[in-house]
Amino acid sequence: MEGDRPEMTAKFVVDTSIVCSWVLPDESSSVAAAAFVHLQTSDAIAPDLLWHEVRNVLMMARKRNRIEFDKACEGVKLLRGLSIFTRRSSSDDMILDLAERHQLTAYDAAYLALAIESKLPLATLDKQLIAAAARENVPLLS
């Protein structure tokens, strides 16, 4: 699912590393598994760039022969059916500030900014983003 929805129903912010691990056959993690379990009873939110990143990750996996093209297409359809709702990215200033202070990409900083603004835990596998979240006192989904 995609679209704006009140954060009142969202219980966590999810990033691309988690979402893509749900459909890439050679990736698994206890954190991603826990996030998927949480998604069964609550919604997740992400910046609106999520779907662009998901498509890119799956196409890069295709280029590296990690996944067949039809499986990439099926994966996107499957993921779009989950309770993940997107929201316009946060303030440009906040994203750029977080990117600068924590040496993050602007993409990763957008997930962190959303977690800060929404006061929700972040689900990620990205080590640099995990470290930045800790420095910003953003809880991680466990």
Side-chain angles (χ1 to χ4, degrees):
M1 295 183 158
E2 178 185 19
D4 294 326
R5 190 165 173 180
E7 282 86 42
M8 295 173 91
T9 62
K11 300 297 182 202
F12 64 101
V13 175
V14 65
D15 82 345
T16 306
S17 66
I18 294 285
V19 172
C20 286
S21 74
W22 295 334
V23 295
L24 288 171
D26 57 350
E27 290 192 22
S28 65
S29 118
S30 59
V31 174
F36 193 78
V37 168
H38 281 287
L39 198 58
Q40 306 314 300
T41 57
S42 61
D43 298 337
I45 59 171
D48 55 4
L49 63 93
L50 174 78
W51 298 113
H52 298 291
E53 284 196 302
V54 165
R55 288 187 296 266
N56 187 62
V57 167
L58 293 178
M59 289 311 297
M60 294 307 295
R62 169 67 193 117
K63 280 185 174 182
R64 294 181 178 114
N65 294 315
R66 293 176 55 206
I67 191 171
E68 295 297 321
F69 180 74
D70 63 326
K71 294 295 184 189
C73 295
E74 288 173 20
V76 172
K77 287 179 187 169
L78 173 81
L79 294 171
R80 288 240 186 219
L82 299 175
S83 295
I84 303 170
F85 298 91
T86 58
R87 186 176 127 179
R88 287 184 111 178
S89 294
S90 306
S91 140
D92 291 331
D93 289 342
M94 182 178 194
I95 291 170
L96 293 172
D97 179 61
L98 289 167
E100 175 69 17
R101 283 191 292 124
H102 300 292
Q103 299 301 295
L104 297 171
T105 65
Y107 305 114
D108 287 344
Y111 292 97
L112 182 57
L114 181 56
I116 291 169
E117 287 181 339
S118 62
K119 297 178 176 54
L120 292 172
L122 175 64
T124 183
L125 299 174
D126 185 288
K127 289 178 176 36
Q128 197 170 357
L129 187 50
I130 289 169
R135 289 190 294 272
E136 292 292 329
N137 296 313
V138 171
L140 298 173
L141 189 72
S142 55

